[in-house]
């Protein structure tokens, strides 16, 4: 279930979106807000996955509001003005809907959200064996993996543990296309946790991880993307 709120100062626009939302079983409307300040108060008390966000509003417009949030839910902008489209997509909005919003166009945007959620649910964890247990690891919490003898150390944001009887090469296969990168015969890193890079190493949570000579091309490709800000 995707929890959403509608933020719009036009009552007719709110009612139309409420009607559209009511037709999609996977969406749950938890609140509506007439302006950004009301929406901010809602976000302090409600868990929200998706914003239907008007742009032209009093005091703080929708783009300014979304930019101000530290933790940003997915957002679909709703507006009567085309000229804000570029700014909206720069904030990685799911879509940009022009009023009046037909159900067909609304459904197309929501379907994109649903497909993204499905993909995240399929790809966002890994099951690994450690100390006799099969552990579920959320990929976003993993900083890196390090080979230690015949085992692997999994380093997470708040803990670490040893993965039994698995090689780095085997683990690298499981982590293909999941945002991880092998940069050394002993290390696999979470690309999204990298905070700095040099020619010889990367920094993750102030920990320096070396770049292996055999993985130089892979690292150089990553470094170019990192420097161009295309990954984050």
């Amino acid at each position: 279930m995707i929890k959403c709120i509608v933020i719009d100062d036009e009552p007719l626009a709110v009612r139309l979106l409420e009607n559209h939302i009511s037709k999609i079983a996977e969406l749950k409307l938890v609140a509506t807000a007439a302006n950004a300040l009301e929406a901010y108060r809602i976000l302090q008390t409600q868990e929200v996955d998706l914003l239907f966000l008007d742009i032209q509003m009093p005091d703080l417009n929708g783009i300014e509001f979304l930019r101000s949030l530290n933790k940003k839910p997915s957002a679909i902008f709703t507006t009567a003005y085309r000229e804000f489209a570029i700014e909206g997509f720069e904030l990685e909005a799911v879509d940009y809907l022009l009023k009046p919003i037909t159900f067909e166009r609304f459904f197309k945007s929501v379907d994109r959200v649903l497909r993204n959620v499905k993909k995240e649910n399929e790809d966002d964890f890994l099951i690994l064996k450690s100390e006799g247990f099969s552990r579920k690891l959320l990929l976003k919490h993993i900083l890196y993996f390090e080979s230690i003898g015949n085992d692997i150390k999994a380093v997470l944001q708040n803990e670490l543990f040893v993965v039994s009887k698995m090689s780095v090469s085997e683990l690298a296969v499981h982590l293909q296309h999941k945002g991880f990168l092998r940069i050394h015969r002993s290390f696999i890193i979470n690309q999204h946790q990298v905070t700095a890079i040099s020619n010889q190493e990367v920094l993750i949570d102030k920990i320096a991880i070396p770049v292996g000579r055999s993985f130089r091309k892979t690292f150089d490709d990553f470094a170019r993307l990192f420097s161009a800000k295309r990954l984050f």
Side-chain angles (χ1 to χ4, degrees):
M1 184 68 68
I2 297 173
K3 297 178 181 180
C4 56
I5 63 173
V6 174
I7 308 167
D8 200 310
D9 61 335
E10 301 176 19
L12 288 177
V14 173
R15 285 199 291 273
L16 177 64
L17 286 171
E18 286 176 331
N19 185 51
H20 287 347
I21 291 168
S22 70
K23 296 176 181 178
I24 300 179
E26 292 85 354
L27 296 182
K28 179 181 180 180
L29 181 65
V30 297
T32 64
N35 56 61
L37 296 178
E38 283 185 23
Y40 182 77
R41 286 191 286 270
I42 292 168
L43 291 176
Q44 303 311 298
T45 59
Q46 291 271 12
E47 182 179 332
V48 176
D49 305 305
L50 176 62
L51 311 177
F52 292 97
L53 180 57
D54 188 21
I55 292 181
Q56 291 287 65
M57 294 186 294
D59 299 321
L60 195 67
N61 70 40
I63 289 174
E64 293 167 339
F65 171 67
L66 187 60
R67 189 179 288 127
S68 73
L69 298 178
N70 291 325
K71 182 180 179 182
K72 294 178 175 58
S74 297
I76 296 175
F77 281 115
T78 61
T79 182
Y81 303 94
R82 292 180 181 273
E83 60 264 31
F84 295 105
I86 293 177
E87 287 184 86
F89 286 121
E90 285 177 348
L91 285 169
E92 299 182 350
V94 175
D95 208 344
Y96 187 96
L97 301 180
L98 287 174
K99 299 175 180 179
I101 301 167
T102 65
F103 181 74
E104 179 182 6
R105 185 67 183 86
F106 173 86
F107 181 78
K108 184 177 180 181
S109 289
V110 170
D111 182 60
R112 187 178 301 173
V113 176
L114 295 175
R115 284 188 280 110
N116 287 343
V117 168
K118 181 179 179 182
K119 185 177 185 302
E120 288 173 1
N121 288 338
E122 290 172 348
D123 297 343
D124 67 356
F125 68 91
L126 191 67
I127 303 293
L128 294 173
K129 289 186 177 180
S130 175
E131 299 176 347
F133 291 92
S134 293
R135 296 179 183 270
K136 179 179 179 180
L137 305 183
L138 295 180
L139 298 184
K140 65 182 180 181
H141 292 164
I142 299 169
L143 302 180
Y144 63 90
F145 294 96
E146 179 183 0
S147 174
I148 47 172
N150 295 324
D151 298 317
I152 295 174
K153 179 172 67 175
V155 181
L156 283 69
Q157 292 172 340
N158 298 311
E159 62 178 324
L160 62 85
F161 60 87
V162 175
V163 180
S164 305
K165 298 179 180 178
M166 178 176 281
S167 70
V168 171
S169 297
E170 290 174 312
L171 182 59
V173 171
H174 289 291
L175 292 172
Q176 282 182 344
H177 313 301
K178 294 180 182 289
F180 285 76
L181 189 69
R182 190 178 183 185
I183 62 168
H184 188 279
R185 62 185 179 85
S186 298
F187 290 93
I188 299 172
I189 63 170
N190 185 340
Q191 299 178 39
H192 302 291
Q193 296 286 357
V194 174
T195 55
I197 62 174
S198 72
N199 191 46
Q200 301 297 329
E201 62 188 14
V202 302
L203 288 183
I204 296 180
D205 196 28
K206 299 182 180 180
I207 299 168
I209 298 174
V211 177
R213 185 179 303 172
S214 301
F215 301 89
R216 171 56 57 183
K217 185 181 184 305
T218 300
F219 172 75
D220 287 345
D221 291 341
F222 165 72
R224 281 193 291 272
L225 291 174
F226 183 89
S227 299
K229 299 181 180 178
R230 294 175 188 168
L231 286 175
F232 308 102

